Amino acid sequence: MTLSQAKSRHDDLAAELRHHDYLYYVEGKPSIGDFEYDKLYTELQDLEAKYPTLVTPDSPTQRVGGAPSKEFTRIEHLVPMLSLEKIRASDKPTSSEEPNVELRKRAQDENTIKELRDFDNTIRKELSRHHVRSEKIDYVLEPKVDGVSISVHYRNGKLVLGATRGDGRSGDDITTNIRTIRAIPLELKTKNPPALLEVRGEAFISILDFEKMNNKLEESGQEPFPNARNATAGTLKQLDPKLVGSRPIRAVFYALGAIEGINFETHSESLEYLKQCGLPTQSHWWVCHGIDDAIRRYQSDVVCHYNEAKDLRTKVPYEVDGIVLKVNKTAYWRLIPDKARAPGYAIVHKPIPWITPAETVLNSITVQVGRTGVLTPVAELEPVFVQGSTISRATLHNEDEITRKDIRIHDTVIIRKAGMVIPEVVEVVKSKRPADSQPFHLETYVKGKCPACGQPIVRDPQFVAWKCENVAGCPAQSVRRVQFMAQRAALDIEGLGGGVAESLVETGFIQDALDLFSLKKEKLAELNLGTKEEPRVLGLKNATKIVDALEKSKSLSLERWLFALGIPRVGVINAQEVAKLHNNFEDLAKSHILKDKLLIKQKELQAKLVNPSSPTERLRLKNETMLQIEVNEDRRETIKAEIKKLKEVESLDKNDRHELHKRLNEEIREIEKRLRDAGDALEVTFSSKKDVPVLDVSHGIEPEVAQSILNFFDSKIGEKIQHRLNKLGINPLGGKARPNIVMENPLFAGKRFVLTGTLQSMTREEAGAAIRERGGEVGGSISKNTN
């Protein structure tokens, strides 16, 4: 293929991928599946690797990363990003305490209608001061997305700036992160773009994508995010755009900021124009001719009193936390005076059926400690009835979320069910705040110590959370680890649920998970699951069931045990990939395969660094290493040595770099051959077929997973666990220690699968096991090796 042919194919592929991005992220109507999309994307990557001059800033391959920033630059908004004034139902008790459901609905409707009419009266009164008299004002009714506010600037149709809302006057320049969001076009779809178009909207992670992302995090042994908004905000704050590009962030736009070269008579015209430009807009919004029409739309299309089939929130992929009512004619906007920090021409209404009966008092805050040591604040509430059930507790997510909403102990708060399921604090009723209330600071509240073990806590910037690092001695972490180890995908200890695990640790029966294997059933039977006043013992039957399951688990495979240990990044799939290539834990601790995986990563980075055609990649790598030294104390000396190597490489001339690049690629191929040989050494005999499929180890294990496993076994905790397992006679075997496996039904021999979502007849773990029994491989993500 000539360069000219390559360029032509590159242009076609880039245009096709942009088109599919638009159909998927903006229209919500994908025309091809993930597999077909990945094939096109991989072809584009291969072309750019072969012809680096084809890489352009707007190429689809450049939307997944860039150089990490050391910090975000602060920028002034050309037009302030004001918040909207909220109106809420009156505090009449009939709206929340009326026992008759129909009467309560009627009262809610009356309150809502009064609020909307009051707003309309205010608008018409202000306009009359300017001699604008109209019996009916046109409004736009639209959902308020519960996401993270962003501003995106297009100059002559090209994306040039992305920013956060910040304090409304200034925000952070997050352009590199915004460019990774595929829902946001890098160029407007219009032949005559305006000189400047600033669009404003919300970045969000859809409810479905959030669930998938959290499942993936949990499977890989990482801490899940508390909610979609928190995950979005935390992601946009990341300094590494590659991480941002790996998260399923989308966006929706609903307003304009600064504009040049274009004007709109109505807000509805601007929304239509945004859609024509290829920008994602809301699928549900209405132009209402007068307040009566707005009320009718509100009651028929927005809020349907717990009718989930008709409720607006079930029709959009994101969380909605209110309804915006906005004057449609833009010429009227400047005639209506602004409030202190809000425009006067629009309001946000919180529909009563979405949030009531939802007013209650936050009595106290409990700080829970998770399996990985993350501290999670939980609101202890005065019990209140919310959407079908009585709520007495609600998650507060983390300290940043508490600060954002300014939640304090003894505050009167509004409670709702996020996604109609999970109780959360929506906002504070500040008019009812006690005079002596104080802002909540988690570190101060727990006096800088873990509430479970009393050891110091540290800030974990990755998850915007505080964390207890007393892994071995923290009882709360011990309880969570016992629960984790007992789950079906791990050791499958039936009868060992949360209550039993908590009682075992609290009563001193055990201090950590491996103490379980020293329990005798007679002693375990005496475990009190109740209180001193009302004891309730576990009993011999239940104790026998648990002890028998523990004994049975000693003979489980290495993959099950590797997952059960809860090593960060080692989920079910990763445990399977790693375990089949090793004999046992001792083999894993000094694994040449895992070290080779890390070595390949190192050589690949060095090869990119010395490639004469990629100076930006050299700069990116240098910046990345400089950033690592600031945050990675454990590897500080190693990273300093790497930086020294980088400086030495930069001093080489072009010919020397060529030679070094060639040698590094040869070394990479040698290491990959070693890894393939390691895979081939795993002998599998098929009863109906003698040829053995090649096991490509070089793609099966991510370097980050390899590093995490090696770090674990090299740590004091890892060494202690190994010693305990040996003492208990537990030596689980991996695939390498079980050669010559006879496979009766090689239906999937040599094929690699990826499982997502749910199956009706079995769990994903069961489906994966069934595939492996038939000679197939199960991977964690789609790649060119996926069949």
Side-chain angles (χ1 to χ4, degrees):
M1 183 182 289
T2 66
L3 179 59
S4 176
Q5 291 171 325
K7 186 179 185 309
S8 176
R9 179 58 180 158
H10 180 277
D11 292 345
D12 290 343
L13 284 169
E16 188 173 358
L17 286 165
R18 289 190 200 105
H19 175 65
H20 289 307
D21 283 343
Y22 174 76
L23 291 177
Y24 183 86
Y25 293 105
V26 181
E27 293 290 327
K29 299 173 182 176
S31 60
I32 61 173
D34 290 345
F35 180 72
E36 290 88 348
Y37 183 94
D38 287 342
K39 281 178 68 177
L40 295 171
Y41 189 84
T42 302
E43 185 182 351
L44 187 67
Q45 281 183 313
D46 292 343
L47 266 180
E48 292 182 349
K50 191 172 182 180
Y51 302 99
T53 56
L54 296 179
V55 181
T56 59
D58 63 344
S59 170
T61 63
Q62 302 307 297
R63 305 207 66 167
V64 293
S69 307
K70 287 195 173 182
E71 60 182 15
F72 293 122
T73 305
R74 200 74 176 169
I75 59 109
E76 293 286 328
H77 294 303
L78 298 177
V79 176
M81 291 183 72
L82 303 178
S83 56
L84 295 178
E85 185 182 32
K86 302 177 182 68
I87 59 171
R88 191 182 299 113
S90 66
D91 294 326
K92 293 178 182 178
T94 52
S95 65
S96 60
E97 296 177 6
E98 172 60 59
N100 184 292
V101 174
E102 290 304 318
L103 289 177
R104 187 165 68 230
K105 287 179 182 178
R106 194 180 306 161
Q108 291 170 354
D109 284 339
E110 289 172 0
N111 282 336
T112 297
I113 291 169
K114 181 179 183 303
E115 292 168 19
L116 299 178
R117 291 198 185 283
D118 286 348
F119 175 71
D120 179 62
N121 288 333
T122 301
I123 294 296
R124 288 192 289 114
K125 186 183 295 183
E126 292 295 342
L127 290 177
S128 70
R129 296 176 192 271
H130 297 275
H131 309 291
V132 177
R133 301 188 183 280
S134 175
E135 290 186 6
K136 289 185 178 181
I137 303 294
D138 284 356
Y139 294 100
V140 172
L141 197 68
E142 56 190 350
K144 181 179 178 296
V145 184
D146 189 12
V148 178
S149 296
I150 56 172
S151 162
V152 181
H153 292 223
Y154 289 90
R155 287 201 176 271
N156 300 312
K158 304 276 189 181
L159 192 157
V160 294
L161 176 69
T164 61
R165 179 181 179 275
D167 61 5
R169 301 289 173 180
S170 64
D172 290 332
D173 181 345
I174 56 168
T175 307
T176 52
N177 288 348
I178 289 293
R179 290 177 68 88
T180 70
I181 302 174
R182 292 186 179 277
I184 302 176
L186 301 178
E187 185 173 354
L188 298 177
K189 288 179 63 178
T190 178
K191 291 181 180 179
N192 300 302
L196 171 64
L197 183 74
E198 180 194 355
V199 293
R200 293 175 172 179
E202 302 284 314
F204 67 92
I205 296 177
S206 75
I207 298 167
L208 186 60
D209 284 341
F210 177 69
E211 184 180 352
K212 288 181 180 178
M213 185 178 74
N214 262 358
N215 287 340
K216 195 171 181 180
L217 286 171
E218 288 180 318
E219 286 174 3
S220 63
Q222 299 180 68
E223 194 76 20
F225 284 100
N227 62 28
R229 190 194 181 284
N230 187 268
T232 305
T235 299
L236 291 179
K237 287 179 183 178
Q238 293 295 323
L239 294 171
D240 186 355
K242 282 198 171 181
L243 175 60
V244 183
S246 70
R247 300 254 171 91
I249 293 185
R250 302 191 186 193
V252 62
F253 295 101
Y254 48 74
L256 297 176
I259 55 175
E260 295 174 13
I262 194 168
N263 285 296
F264 302 97
E265 288 189 10
T266 63
H267 176 57
S268 56
E269 283 179 12
S270 69
L271 294 179
E272 294 288 0
Y273 180 76
L274 294 183
K275 186 175 182 181
Q276 291 167 16
C277 288
L279 289 156
T281 57
Q282 304 219 62
S283 56
H284 291 75
W285 57 274
W286 303 268
V287 176
C288 308
H289 304 294
I291 196 64
D292 289 334
D293 190 22
I295 291 169
R296 182 183 64 79
R297 285 286 188 188
Y298 174 88
Q299 293 178 324
S300 62
D301 295 313
V302 179
V303 182
C304 303
H305 294 298
Y306 315 130
N307 186 333
E308 293 190 8
K310 294 182 178 181
D311 196 297
L312 175 63
R313 291 172 297 170
T314 66
K315 300 173 185 176
V316 294
Y318 36 75
E319 291 283 1
V320 177
D321 64 346
I323 295 297
V324 178
L325 187 65
K326 190 177 293 184
V327 173
N328 192 26
K329 196 166 184 176
T330 55
Y332 289 169
W333 292 4
R334 61 184 175 82
L335 304 179
I336 304 167
D338 291 342
K339 306 295 170 59
R341 293 178 60 84
Y345 59 80
I347 49 98
V348 172
H349 170 66
K350 303 285 185 178
I352 300 172
W354 288 5
I355 61 174
T356 60
E359 196 173 286
T360 189
V361 176
L362 193 156
N363 292 324
S364 63
I365 294 177
T366 300
V367 179
Q368 297 180 337
V369 185
R371 176 177 62 87
T372 59
V374 171
L375 274 59
T376 302
V378 177
E380 304 294 344
L381 307 166
E382 196 67 35
V384 62
F385 188 82
V386 181
Q387 287 176 273
S389 61
T390 300
I391 302 301
S392 59
R393 309 185 89 204
T395 178
L396 295 173
H397 307 305
N398 56 43
E399 187 176 47
D400 277 18
E401 191 75 353
I402 293 174
T403 302
R404 185 179 75 85
K405 295 178 179 176
D406 190 19
I407 299 170
R408 307 182 186 185
I409 294 173
H410 302 312
D411 268 345
T412 297
V413 294
I414 301 296
I415 304 297
R416 73 164 181 181
K417 290 184 180 178
M420 302 189 190
V421 178
I422 303 169
E424 70 169 357
V425 175
V426 180
E427 60 183 312
V428 175
V429 183
K430 292 185 179 177
S431 62
K432 297 185 178 182
R433 171 170 283 167
D436 59 349
S437 75
Q438 296 294 322
F440 180 87
H441 299 291
L442 192 144
E443 184 186 23
T444 305
Y445 187 69
V446 298
K447 299 178 180 176
K449 297 178 180 178
C450 171
C453 67
Q455 293 299 304
I457 59 174
V458 296
R459 179 84 169 178
D460 184 342
Q462 184 179 1
F463 295 107
V464 199
W466 288 92
K467 192 172 185 179
C468 169
E469 294 193 323
N470 180 23
V471 179
C474 180
Q477 293 184 60
S478 295
V479 171
R480 305 293 181 266
R481 282 197 298 275
V482 169
Q483 290 177 269
F484 185 84
M485 185 175 277
Q487 67 177 295
R488 180 180 292 180
L491 302 187
D492 193 16
I493 312 299
E494 189 182 352
L496 190 50
V500 175
E502 198 169 328
S503 296
L504 284 167
V505 174
E506 284 182 354
T507 55
F509 273 56
I510 63 172
Q511 289 185 321
D512 62 49
L514 290 182
D515 287 345
L516 291 167
F517 293 90
S518 303
L519 291 172
K520 303 297 180 186
K521 58 185 177 185
E522 291 80 13
K523 177 71 175 173
L524 182 59
E526 299 171 3
L527 178 68
N528 183 13
L529 303 177
T531 62
K532 286 183 179 179
E533 295 75 19
E534 298 181 17
R536 178 172 61 87
V537 297
L538 180 66
L540 187 60
K541 183 179 179 181
N542 291 325
T544 302
K545 187 186 295 183
I546 291 172
V547 170
D548 287 349
L550 286 165
E551 189 62 33
K552 184 180 177 182
S553 72
K554 290 182 179 180
S555 59
L556 289 176
S557 64
L558 180 61
E559 67 181 52
R560 296 281 290 274
W561 270 95
L562 185 58
F563 173 66
L565 292 181
I567 301 171
R569 295 187 179 274
V570 182
V572 174
I573 300 296
N574 289 328
Q576 293 162 358
E577 295 281 354
V578 173
K580 68 189 173 191
L581 298 163
H582 296 86
N583 290 306
N584 47 34
F585 280 134
E586 188 179 351
D587 189 23
L588 260 178
K590 56 179 189 295
S591 170
H592 294 294
I593 290 173
L594 298 184
K595 289 175 182 175
D596 274 348
K597 285 295 298 182
L598 295 178
L599 192 56
I600 276 191
K601 178 73 171 177
Q602 180 186 346
K603 299 288 183 187
E604 284 176 344
L605 288 174
Q606 290 176 0
K608 286 180 181 178
L609 177 72
V610 300
N611 185 352
S613 64
S614 58
T616 54
E617 187 63 24
R618 289 199 296 276
L619 180 63
R620 185 197 70 76
L621 184 61
K622 187 175 180 180
N623 287 342
E624 187 177 274
T625 5
M626 293 300 291
L627 181 66
Q628 282 181 349
I629 199 168
E630 295 176 10
V631 299
N632 199 331
E633 198 169 319
D634 295 339
R635 293 190 64 238
R636 186 164 290 174
E637 294 306 315
T638 308
I639 294 170
K640 282 181 179 177
E642 289 173 4
I643 291 173
K644 186 179 178 183
K645 286 180 185 177
L646 295 183
K647 290 179 178 176
E648 290 172 358
V649 168
E650 286 179 335
S651 66
L652 297 176
D653 63 27
K654 187 175 181 179
N655 290 332
D656 287 341
R657 282 184 178 171
H658 270 300
E659 287 301 314
L660 182 54
H661 187 262
K662 182 179 176 182
R663 192 174 78 241
L664 286 166
N665 278 313
E666 288 173 355
E667 290 174 4
I668 289 170
R669 284 192 288 271
E670 287 176 11
I671 299 168
E672 285 181 334
K673 185 179 182 303
R674 282 206 303 266
L675 288 168
R676 281 194 295 272
D677 291 344
D680 292 345
L682 181 64
E683 296 178 29
V684 181
T685 303
F686 297 109
S687 59
S688 59
K689 191 176 178 182
K690 294 297 179 186
D691 55 318
V692 181
V694 174
L695 184 61
D696 193 353
V697 185
S698 62
H699 293 282
I701 305 167
E702 294 296 325
E704 294 79 8
V705 175
Q707 183 73 71
S708 185
I709 293 172
L710 290 171
N711 287 349
F712 174 80
F713 284 107
D714 193 42
S715 67
K716 290 181 180 179
I717 293 171
E719 289 176 0
K720 182 181 176 182
I721 286 175
Q722 270 189 277
H723 178 72
R724 289 285 306 279
L725 290 171
N726 290 334
K727 202 170 179 181
L728 290 165
I730 299 172
N731 185 31
L733 301 180
K736 200 174 173 185
R738 299 193 302 254
N740 300 314
I741 302 168
V742 177
M743 195 161 291
E744 298 293 335
N745 182 13
L747 179 65
F748 299 139
K751 288 185 170 60
R752 186 176 181 85
F753 295 79
V754 172
L755 302 174
T756 66
T758 57
L759 299 166
Q760 290 184 347
S761 59
M762 61 183 79
T763 65
R764 281 193 294 190
E765 290 77 17
E766 290 167 343
I771 288 170
R772 285 188 294 275
E773 285 171 6
R774 290 156 177 80
E777 296 290 323
V778 180
S781 59
I782 292 175
S783 70
K784 62 182 180 182
N785 302 302
T786 306
N787 296 96

